Amino acid sequence: MIINSMANANNALAQYTQPQPKAIARAPATVTSAAAKSYDSARFDGSRVTAAVLLLATIASGMMLVYSRHQARTLFQQLEALSTQHDEQQIEWGRLQLEQATWSENSRIEQIARDRLGLDFPEQTKVVVIKQ
């Protein structure tokens, strides 16, 4: 009994899910048979055009996906190269600041003034303080 009711339900479901045949537009009865054949062959088939448009859209979408992925990889490689260059320049900047600090030390400047230029601090008796 249950099996029969399930079979009936499956048959009813199959009837609703099966596609129904479409009515084909026919030429009026007054048209000759040759004209009727040309009318049927010239009928616009929207499902084929829709399928073709969807196929072209899918192919175009796939091509754009491949292009955007390629572009993303290329830009990521450029970003990594620029990041590496930035790090190298930051290291060089640190070296230059250290070198500048070394070259501008007071003791080094004083040493060069004595050795190369023959300059020396004046004696205490030769220093004159001017007050306003």
Side-chain angles (χ1 to χ4, degrees):
M1 181 97 158
I2 293 175
I3 295 173
N4 286 338
S5 63
M6 288 183 74
N8 290 339
N10 286 339
N11 288 338
L13 181 62
Q15 286 177 352
Y16 286 112
T17 57
Q18 289 179 354
Q20 299 296 325
K22 293 183 178 181
I24 299 174
R26 299 283 180 199
T30 58
V31 178
T32 63
S33 63
K37 287 181 183 179
S38 69
Y39 179 77
D40 284 340
S41 65
R43 184 175 59 94
F44 180 72
D45 189 8
S47 63
R48 288 185 181 172
V49 172
T50 303
V53 168
L54 289 175
L55 178 66
L56 289 175
T58 303
I59 291 171
S61 174
M63 296 285 283
M64 290 304 295
L65 176 66
V66 169
Y67 174 74
S68 66
R69 292 277 174 100
H70 172 71
Q71 190 175 17
R73 286 185 187 113
T74 303
L75 291 173
F76 182 74
Q77 288 174 348
Q78 289 177 359
L79 175 66
E80 288 297 315
L82 289 173
S83 178
T84 302
Q85 184 181 5
H86 176 262
D87 292 343
E88 290 172 357
Q89 289 178 349
Q90 284 295 101
I91 292 169
E92 181 66 21
W93 174 250
R95 286 183 194 145
L96 290 173
Q97 284 182 327
L98 183 61
E99 185 177 347
Q100 181 186 16
T102 303
W103 285 94
S104 64
E105 284 182 2
N106 287 335
S107 61
R108 185 175 183 290
I109 293 173
E110 190 177 318
Q111 179 81 25
I112 292 172
R114 282 189 189 150
D115 294 344
R116 292 186 189 167
L117 302 175
L119 298 177
D120 199 7
F121 278 112
E123 295 175 12
Q124 195 68 346
T125 57
K126 293 183 179 180
V127 175
V128 178
V129 179
I130 301 175
K131 294 184 182 181
Q132 287 186 349

